[in-house]
Amino acid sequence: MWKNDYNRWKEFTGLDADLASKLDEITSDEQSLEDAFYKNLEFGTGGMRGKLGPGTNRMNIYTVRKAAEGLAAYVNDQGLSNRGVAIAYDSRYMSKEFAVETARVLGHHGIPSYVFTSLRPTPELSFAVRHLNAAAGVVVTASHNPPEYNGFKAYNEDGGQLPPEQAEIMIDFVNKVENELNVEAADQKELEEQGLLRWVDEEVDEAYLEALKGVTVQSDIKKDLSVVFTPLHGTARDLVEKGLQQSGFTSIHIVEEQAKPDPEFSTVASPNPEEHQAFEMAIEQGESIGADLLMATDPDADRLGIAVPNEKGEYVVLTGNQTGALLLDYILGQSQQLPKNGVMIKTIVTSEFGRVIANAYGIDSLDTLTGFKFIGEKIREYEQTGEHQFVFGYEESYGYLVKDFARDKDAVQAALLAAEVGAHWKNQGKTLLDALDELYEKHGYFLEDLQSMKLEGKAGAEQIKAIMDDFRNADIKESGGKKVVAVEDYSTTVRKFVQEGKEEEMDLPTSNVVKFILEDDCWFCLRPSGTEPKIKFYYGVKSESKTDSQALLAAVKAAVNERLHALI
């Protein structure tokens, strides 16, 4: 079957010269050909992401045009075509080209595009959709994936990633495009002359920087904090640096070797602040100047990692759960007045630490499925109903949102607040690690971990399905010495209480996720990645001490891995 699509590409006389050349290079490699053509690159609820190259299962100008054609149909279906689409892109290979291709397809349908003149962070795109009153948004990025990847993320008129109901409509439109090679794209110069391709830059930057001023919780605290920041060859340098400066921070040190955009991300094994190796240069620079705080953002600047020195002067990289807990506690503890109907929103794989902290301040908590689009969707819902007022949102994978002028995770906002939190505790003679220890003493020692298993290609997808099926259907009664209290299957939205044999419906959309709730606030969860060929295993435990939590976490992980190794 895949050979039909390969032949269609091979025989297409107008094929892009570079793609044609790369297709010739793999013509004698049947395995590579099959992987490039065995399916269409899936456009899912988070858009699409894949390796660059020729083929229906690759990111290239034709698969991007197919996605843009679906977006055009979606915008027209919503009756919003006159409002146009905002488009941003990161530092990856082909990012600007894909942005322009998107605008060319939209322009063919008479839909205006607002395209940034140069790379911009994903959260600024979210802001720009709202600022420009656009009908939708697109950001061309593969976040922290390896250099050979790129992606296409779609946003709704609220500036959030498309939630399931809207995403399904757009996915249907994308899937109706029968031949990606035949999607028409208008001439760029003609679109510019007609005002259907409009370039934007400083006007949106200035508006975003003005909105950033609202992130500050205490405007009058002393900001004598030494900060080292690395954008990891991505998009965040200008906005983070300017944001810190306008907030009153003066001791800002940029890791210059990683400040220049670089699609190869040549100084890191992975441009992901979740990976501790990404901090190596920042740590070296931090040690040389005695910095109080290190910060790193991923290439599209929607994730932030931080590191702080311990009592020995060694830098410790905090987890997303730990950073989220510190930011949340600071917002709730230092705000002059908390809303009576305030709500903190997190995901189902994020630590319960945040819920306990919020409850201590009388703030409600809500869990959503994994993916910040669900947090953005809830913010919009509460805006319309008045049921709750958003105070903070986060997920364990280093994504945070402080103020809702953006509707996606925003590392620029998080960087400003993290610096303010660091300054607050420094003024009291404490580090962020000291503040974290105080939270553990007050609320219990929460400890989490994440394991990822990479399984690429068709065979890998089949293995991931087999693993999910096994855990989903297994009668697991205990794990790591802890009884299983309930099993939450998000594919059916059913929560089954193991001991009682009862079931109840969960008020969440369906998703290919299984979560095992153990006794004593422990849990583990399985979730295939929606953007990478991986299956992820999340773990969370709680006890009264670090030592006990470490032992408990090891035991739960060992039990899961024992079953997993029997399957692979």
Side-chain angles (χ1 to χ4, degrees), residues 301-346:
D302 61 358
R303 298 172 192 243
L304 173 79
I306 66 175
V308 291
N310 61 17
E311 66 278 0
K312 298 178 182 178
E314 300 166 338
Y315 286 96
V316 177
V317 180
L318 301 188
T319 69
N321 285 311
Q322 291 171 330
T323 299
L326 286 166
L327 298 183
L328 174 63
D329 181 70
Y330 178 75
I331 290 170
L332 300 182
Q334 302 304 320
S335 295
Q336 292 187 357
Q337 186 174 2
L338 294 174
K340 293 181 180 179
N341 61 343
V343 65
M344 180 277 293
I345 311 176
K346 69 179 189 67

Side-chain angles (χ1 to χ4, degrees), residues 175-318:
N175 291 340
K176 285 177 182 176
V177 179
E178 295 182 357
N179 188 341
E180 67 285 342
L181 300 176
N182 292 336
V183 174
E184 294 187 59
D187 180 75
Q188 178 181 335
K189 288 186 178 179
E190 290 181 5
L191 292 177
E192 291 170 342
E193 292 168 359
Q194 296 166 13
L196 288 173
L197 199 170
R198 309 170 191 177
W199 297 98
V200 295
D201 43 34
E202 285 90 351
E203 61 167 286
V204 181
D205 296 343
E206 291 169 2
Y208 179 84
L209 284 166
E210 183 64 28
L212 276 180
K213 294 177 181 177
V215 171
T216 298
V217 177
Q218 299 184 88
S219 58
D220 57 346
I221 67 168
K222 183 181 178 183
K223 295 179 178 176
D224 179 22
L225 191 81
S226 177
V227 177
V228 169
F229 171 62
T230 172
L232 297 179
H233 302 294
T235 61
R237 176 178 180 166
D238 286 351
L239 287 179
V240 168
E241 191 170 18
K242 289 176 182 176
L244 287 170
Q245 288 170 346
Q246 77 175 13
S247 186
F249 291 93
T250 57
S251 185
I252 307 164
H253 308 270
I254 307 297
V255 181
E256 293 295 341
E257 299 94 328
Q258 297 175 327
K260 185 178 180 181
D262 174 11
E264 281 295 323
F265 311 112
S266 52
T267 66
V268 289
S270 170
N272 184 358
E274 292 180 86
E275 306 288 343
H276 291 191
Q277 55 79 28
F279 276 90
E280 287 178 359
M281 285 189 168
I283 289 173
E284 184 178 340
Q285 188 165 329
E287 289 173 342
S288 69
I289 64 172
D292 300 304
L293 177 66
L294 314 181
M295 301 194 294
T297 53
D298 66 343
D300 68 323
D302 61 358
R303 298 172 192 243
L304 173 79
I306 66 175
V308 291
N310 61 17
E311 66 278 0
K312 298 178 182 178
E314 300 166 338
Y315 286 96
V316 177
V317 180
L318 301 188

Side-chain angles (χ1 to χ4, degrees), residues 469-484:
D469 287 346
D470 178 82
F471 276 85
R472 178 171 277 130
N473 298 319
D475 185 23
I476 301 175
K477 292 289 200 318
E478 67 92 28
S479 183
K482 293 291 181 181
K483 291 179 181 178
V484 176

